Amino acid sequence: MNDANVWLITGSSTGFGRSLTEAVLQHGYRVIATARKPEQLDDLVAKYPQTVKAIRLDVTNPQEVRAAIQTAIDTFARIDVVVNNAGFGSLGAIEELSDEAIRRQFDTNLFGALDMMRAVLPVLRQQRSGHILNVSSVGGLVAFGATGIYCATKFALEAISEALAKEVASLGIKVTIIEPGAFRTDFNGRSLAVPDQTIEEYAPVSGEFLKWMEQMDGKQPGDPA
Ligand SMILES: NC(=O)c1ccc[n+]([C@@H]2O[C@H](COP(=O)([O-])OP(=O)(O)OC[C@H]3O[C@@H](n4cnc5c(N)ncnc54)[C@H](OP(=O)(O)O)[C@@H]3O)[C@@H](O)[C@H]2O)c1
């Protein structure tokens, strides 16, 4: 890495995205920090006025994805590292989750990241350099009851990342998958999406798992910083 490094990070508001954005700024790199509510990044803009640009980005909005990339080019003239971090867990038994909830989960965790990758690749190919970091999960490797839909988005993200790494290796572009276990972010708290309707027969699996997730909120072993 050198001082020229320009990062674009999704979901900079809390958790991993927030910690990573702070760490990158502390190291003196430049960042397009993004959030659905960019005012959550005002403190970083005040502290690092020269090196951070905060903008609104909902990863499910294709126009905002493209605008974020354009802002990076207009502001810092290049993009070195793209971090697809935005995501959340929609948990519950397969039969308990509504079609709408399942699609919302895929739209954010998978299609949001995929859209960002496909939109930024022309820039990285032209530069003949760049690094895409995709935040998957241990749930991208193995699925437990009540995590099927969440894990499906991460398994898919892993497949796309593995294939992409091979496609772009000769172009100077790297792809890395990150597979965290349980960390003290907002994941188990405000970000957790639970089923609208629960089915009694799944209580021992799904109900118990969700209870455990809620109890673990704030007590996860991992420190995102
Ligand atoms: N914490 C863990 O134990 C753990 C383990 C494995 C993997 N992960 C992964 O880590 C990533 C970050 O989660 P976290 O643990 O840091 O939880 P978090 O603190 O809840 O952060 C989630 C971030 O994603 C953003 N986000 C959600 N939907 C979005 C959308 N449509 N567009 C843009 N941003 C969106 C949130 O923005 P808002 O503030 O606007 O909601 C927030 O910035 C996720 O991909 C998650 O699957 C977490």
Side-chain angles (χ1 to χ4, degrees):
M1 293 214 191
N2 57 52
D3 288 342
N5 249 255
V6 175
W7 293 59
L8 195 169
I9 300 174
T10 69
S12 298
S13 61
T14 61
F16 285 123
R18 175 75 192 200
S19 291
L20 182 62
T21 302
E22 287 175 5
V24 165
L25 288 167
Q26 278 158 16
H27 279 81
Y29 302 123
R30 295 173 287 174
V31 188
I32 301 296
T34 72
R36 288 190 288 192
K37 295 185 195 127
E39 61 275 16
Q40 289 177 286
L41 307 172
D42 284 352
D43 59 322
L44 294 179
V45 175
K47 194 168 172 191
Y48 300 98
Q50 301 300 320
T51 50
V52 69
K53 175 104 181 165
I55 59 165
R56 184 189 141 78
L57 172 59
D58 180 328
V59 297
T60 66
N61 182 324
Q63 285 80 36
E64 291 184 4
V65 168
R66 277 143 196 85
I69 293 166
Q70 194 56 50
T71 301
I73 298 298
D74 293 345
T75 311
F76 299 129
R78 58 183 296 115
I79 302 176
D80 295 292
V81 187
V82 178
V83 186
N84 286 307
N85 161 74
F88 68 99
S90 192
L91 303 184
I94 302 292
E95 199 187 336
E96 288 177 326
L97 266 66
S98 65
D99 187 63
E100 196 198 349
I102 293 168
R103 286 175 194 278
R104 206 178 310 129
Q105 178 75 126
F106 272 85
D107 279 343
T108 300
N109 292 12
L110 181 63
F111 291 116
L114 180 57
D115 193 32
M116 176 60 80
M117 284 186 261
R118 286 167 51 80
V120 82
L121 277 166
V123 175
L124 306 188
R125 277 194 291 109
Q126 200 187 11
Q127 292 175 174
R128 281 291 188 271
S129 72
H131 200 151
I132 295 171
L133 307 184
N134 288 332
V135 181
S136 174
S137 167
V138 70
L141 301 170
V142 61
F144 302 103
T147 69
I149 301 304
Y150 173 69
C151 292
T153 67
K154 298 297 189 181
F155 274 49
L157 185 62
E158 300 242 342
I160 287 166
S161 305
E162 283 186 24
L164 181 64
K166 291 171 178 131
E167 291 165 7
V168 298
S170 65
L171 306 177
I173 303 167
K174 292 178 185 163
V175 183
T176 297
I177 307 169
I178 299 158
E179 293 157 338
F183 279 77
R184 289 187 300 280
T185 67
D186 288 357
F187 188 86
N188 288 34
R190 66 163 186 103
S191 296
L192 186 65
V194 299
D196 295 331
Q197 285 196 325
T198 53
I199 299 173
E200 188 51 35
E201 284 100 317
Y202 294 117
V205 181
S206 172
E208 287 303 311
F209 186 80
L210 284 166
K211 249 190 253 167
W212 178 77
M213 285 292 285
E214 283 162 2
Q215 279 163 9
M216 285 294 288
D217 185 23
K219 302 186 197 110
Q220 300 96 322
D223 175 351

